[in-house]
Amino acid sequence: MAKNVEGFEFEQSHGKERVRVARVWKSKDGQRHFVVEWRVSINLLSDCVNSYIRDDNSDIVATDTMKNTVYAKAKECSEILTVEDFAILLAKHFTSFYKQVTTAIVKIVEKPWERVSVDGQPHEHGFKLGSEKHTTEAIVKKSGALQLTSGIEGLSVLKTTKSGFEGFIRDKYTVLPDTRERMLATEITALWRYSYESVYSVPQKPLYFTDKYLAVKRVLLDTFFGPPKEGVYSPSVQSTLYQMAKATLNRVPDIASIQLKMPNIHFIPVNLSNKDGQIVKFNDDVYLPTDEPHGSIEASLNRNRSRI
């Protein structure tokens, strides 16, 4: 919130970026281990204008203190908890513990460590690194008002058929042919905002938000691919994106809005020939994978005018 300072409008915040923390929990018998690795960013809106204009640091929460708080709060969490719950816990601490802090913004990216299986059995303490990342952002005000957003980064998907693109605008610069048969590949970035508006209304069920995260990912994948035998036809990335967003809101009622970003990652058909004739004739089989340039498609879908 802007303040009038010496005849100017002045806004400020400060925080700590990229605090890395890992936490291991053990089952009651000590045999099975559980691990998370989080990258935490903290941003505080606080009444510390004097540090900018009067060289008075008495109202500043040191960023080193913020870093240490991450480790202290991780230690205090004796039971497994979700990345969303940890973000809310940290934000609540900063807004309740420090009278100067009016709003705390905590962003966390969870590294995707997954339990491995050996000889068909889940390993008690072995993990491998997966691909897509679970993200969250909790904005908590001193009143307890909450904005909670979660997301997926780097969910790479591909289908080798049941995709096309035709009927688009044509002009003198257009060389792309119409097609009803192409490969469709993208890397999904999803952000969804929960409908909870207060820290006091958040469900207290263990691992509740992990269940929601997995539910959203399942809806996105099911809608992108369609049934396992026949699949589902995609007339454009835009159409598929909208169907994925709509299915998420329809099937996960406590999500108020969702934003999807789905770049169109091109697999270019390969045809090769020389003076003696054709070396490779494309028959929906040999492609050149590319990652740039790529199409950029994104959209958001909101329930009750909620905004990401």
Side-chain angles (χ1 to χ4, degrees), residues 12-283:
Q12 57 79 29
S13 65
H14 75 294
K16 198 72 165 181
E17 296 283 335
R18 303 178 72 85
V19 180
R20 295 179 61 182
V21 58
R23 180 62 158 98
V24 175
W25 293 276
K26 300 175 184 178
S27 59
K28 290 183 178 180
D29 61 7
Q31 295 302 304
R32 174 155 290 204
H33 293 191
F34 304 85
V35 65
V36 294
E37 181 181 341
W38 293 325
R39 189 178 75 230
V40 182
S41 295
I42 300 161
N43 194 29
L44 302 184
L45 280 61
S46 62
D47 185 11
C48 61
V49 174
N50 286 342
S51 65
Y52 292 89
I53 64 174
R54 294 194 175 89
D55 302 331
D56 178 357
N57 297 332
S58 59
D59 288 321
I60 287 184
V61 181
T63 66
D64 188 67
T65 301
M66 299 181 202
K67 177 203 70 179
N68 296 341
T69 302
V70 172
Y71 299 116
K73 292 300 179 182
K75 176 66 175 180
E76 290 175 10
C77 295
S78 58
E79 301 290 335
I80 302 170
L81 79 168
T82 67
V83 65
E84 288 87 356
D85 287 322
F86 189 66
I88 294 171
L89 182 152
L90 277 176
K92 283 172 60 179
H93 167 79
F94 289 116
T95 54
S96 61
F97 193 75
Y98 300 101
K99 66 179 183 179
Q100 297 86 348
V101 177
T102 57
T103 303
I105 304 169
V106 177
K107 299 180 182 180
I108 306 180
V109 178
E110 181 170 298
K111 207 165 185 177
W113 290 109
E114 302 170 350
R115 189 178 302 278
V116 300
S117 292
V118 176
D119 296 331
Q121 297 294 319
H123 203 282
E124 295 285 13
H125 54 265
F127 301 84
K128 67 178 181 66
L129 191 61
S131 53
E132 66 272 4
K133 297 175 180 177
H134 182 173
T135 67
T136 197
E137 178 187 74
I139 304 175
V140 175
K141 297 183 180 297
K142 193 174 285 292
S143 64
L146 170 69
Q147 292 182 22
L148 181 63
T149 304
S150 291
I152 299 172
E153 290 182 358
L155 180 56
S156 296
V157 292
L158 176 153
K159 59 182 185 179
T160 55
T161 188
K162 294 284 186 175
S163 174
F165 188 56
E166 55 189 339
F168 47 88
I169 294 173
R170 291 194 169 276
D171 57 40
K172 63 182 181 179
Y173 302 114
T174 306
V175 297
L176 185 70
D178 284 359
T179 183
R180 289 188 60 83
E181 181 58 46
R182 67 172 183 171
M183 192 178 291
L184 177 59
T186 187
E187 184 179 286
I188 301 166
T189 300
L191 287 172
W192 57 91
R193 180 172 167 185
Y194 289 99
S195 56
Y196 312 113
E197 297 182 347
S198 166
V199 294
Y200 308 108
S201 63
V202 173
Q204 298 302 306
K205 302 174 186 175
L207 303 182
Y208 177 82
F209 289 109
T210 297
D211 292 340
K212 293 300 175 183
Y213 171 82
L214 294 174
V216 172
K217 185 164 72 168
R218 185 164 55 249
V219 171
L220 295 176
L221 294 176
D222 288 353
T223 309
F224 179 87
F225 291 113
K229 293 293 185 182
E230 62 270 23
V232 61
Y233 182 72
S234 169
S236 65
V237 177
Q238 287 85 344
S239 174
T240 297
L241 182 154
Y242 177 74
Q243 295 302 324
M244 292 164 66
K246 184 172 72 170
T248 301
L249 293 187
N250 284 339
R251 291 166 59 179
V252 189
D254 45 358
I255 289 177
S257 58
I258 184 167
Q259 181 181 44
L260 292 175
K261 184 175 182 180
M262 293 172 53
N264 190 5
I265 300 173
H266 304 298
F267 280 65
I268 300 172
V270 172
N271 284 291
L272 295 178
S273 60
N274 59 22
K275 62 183 178 64
D276 298 321
Q278 194 157 30
I279 302 170
V280 176
K281 179 176 173 58
F282 179 71
N283 188 27

